[in-house]
Amino acid sequence: MALNDITLAIDPGEFVAVLGPSGCGKSTLLRLIAALAKPDYGTISFENDSDRRRAIAYVFQDPHLLPWRDVLRNVALPLELIGVKKAEQIDAARLAIEQVGLADAVRRYPSQLSGGMRMRVSLARALVTNPRLLLMDEPFAALDEITRQKLDEQLRELWLRRAMTVIFVTHSTAEATFLANRAVVMSARPGRIVLDQPIALPEHRTAGLRGEPAFATQTRVLFEALERGEGKR
């Protein structure tokens, strides 16, 4: 059993970070929300469940880009798969690419991109359908620290502009503190919630925030909850 007795209500427009020990069920939770797996018991419900395919987008740790497609066609792929007209695909893809800062790379192929750029393409591909819910499973974990922090800043600003709901899985207490307006910490497998609380930091966050005492305080609270969760085996 990966999860046990999880009760979690998320309001529209929240940015929720999910942390916990390896194997505690964080990725399983995302897969259940995305209907990529079925729960053994319990229910998962949405305010408007009429078209979950378009309402939810998923960003994995690996960008999973198609090597034979350039950036523009990789980003347009979700719209192509659901039958959107070609001209609309291109317009929406270009807009999403611009929003992640890759307007000058639309004709490049994945092999011509850095790791950070490939992840931004993956993010643009997720955003192209204008999802109401964005699920992100440790998307920046394999990147160097500077690139990761820049992408955290960009993602936070995209969330503020788009007012979408984000559930972001991470092992990093600093990343969770910077990105989220709410953090959920899970115990060791089977995963249970050991902490669910708001992140009391300003709405607009810049790199300098990471050096402030309030940031350190919030990060410490998450770290202590992780320690408690590790003990619940």
Side-chain angles (χ1 to χ4, degrees):
M1 181 185 295
L3 300 168
N4 187 27
D5 196 24
I6 295 287
T7 300
L8 186 62
I10 296 174
D11 292 330
E14 281 197 284
F15 196 128
V16 178
V18 180
L19 304 96
S22 295
C24 74
K26 301 183 298 296
S27 296
T28 299
L29 178 62
L30 290 194
R31 290 176 59 81
L32 289 169
I33 293 170
L36 298 177
K38 292 183 178 180
D40 294 326
Y41 63 91
T43 59
I44 298 168
S45 61
F46 294 78
E47 280 189 349
N48 184 351
D49 206 23
S50 59
D51 190 1
R52 196 186 299 191
R53 184 178 60 170
R54 298 235 14 202
I56 298 176
Y58 207 128
V59 179
F60 298 90
Q61 186 171 341
D62 188 316
H64 295 297
L65 303 180
L66 301 179
W68 59 88
R69 283 181 173 242
D70 61 20
V71 167
L72 185 66
R73 293 178 65 225
N74 262 291
V75 173
L77 180 61
L79 298 178
E80 180 182 325
L81 293 175
I82 59 177
V84 174
K85 293 180 180 178
K86 185 67 175 291
E88 294 178 26
Q89 290 178 31
I90 299 304
D91 288 345
R94 286 189 182 278
L95 177 60
I97 291 166
E98 289 173 7
Q99 289 180 327
V100 300
L102 287 178
D104 60 348
V106 290
R107 292 303 178 188
R108 295 189 198 178
Y109 288 82
S111 62
Q112 299 171 307
L113 305 175
S114 67
M117 293 173 75
R118 288 194 292 272
M119 188 50 67
R120 282 192 280 168
V121 175
S122 178
L123 178 57
R125 184 177 57 192
L127 295 175
V128 77
T129 58
N130 289 313
R132 296 195 303 276
L133 174 60
L134 181 62
L135 305 175
M136 307 188 75
D137 193 357
E138 298 188 69
F140 309 147
L143 303 176
D144 65 85
E145 191 64 21
I146 292 175
T147 301
R148 183 172 182 163
Q149 289 190 17
K150 288 180 179 177
L151 286 174
D152 284 345
E153 292 167 26
Q154 188 172 42
L155 176 60
R156 175 81 189 181
E157 288 303 314
L158 277 169
W159 168 71
L160 288 172
R161 290 205 305 269
R162 282 177 166 257
M164 59 188 168
T165 307
V166 180
I167 305 175
F168 188 100
V169 166
T170 179
H171 277 102
S172 169
T173 55
E175 184 169 59
T177 300
F178 185 86
L179 281 172
N181 66 334
R182 177 182 169 197
V184 172
V185 180
M186 295 172 59
S187 72
R189 188 184 186 102
R192 297 179 177 85
I193 294 174
V194 296
L195 178 75
D196 182 351
Q197 74 167 36
I199 299 294
L201 291 172
E203 186 175 68
H204 291 278
R205 302 174 189 178
T206 61
L209 177 66
R210 297 175 186 271
E212 295 184 8
F215 185 87
T217 297
Q218 293 289 319
T219 303
R220 182 65 189 175
V221 168
L222 300 187
F223 182 77
E224 290 173 349
L226 279 173
E227 287 188 316
R228 294 197 302 274
E230 282 277 13
K232 293 187 177 182
R233 292 185 181 275

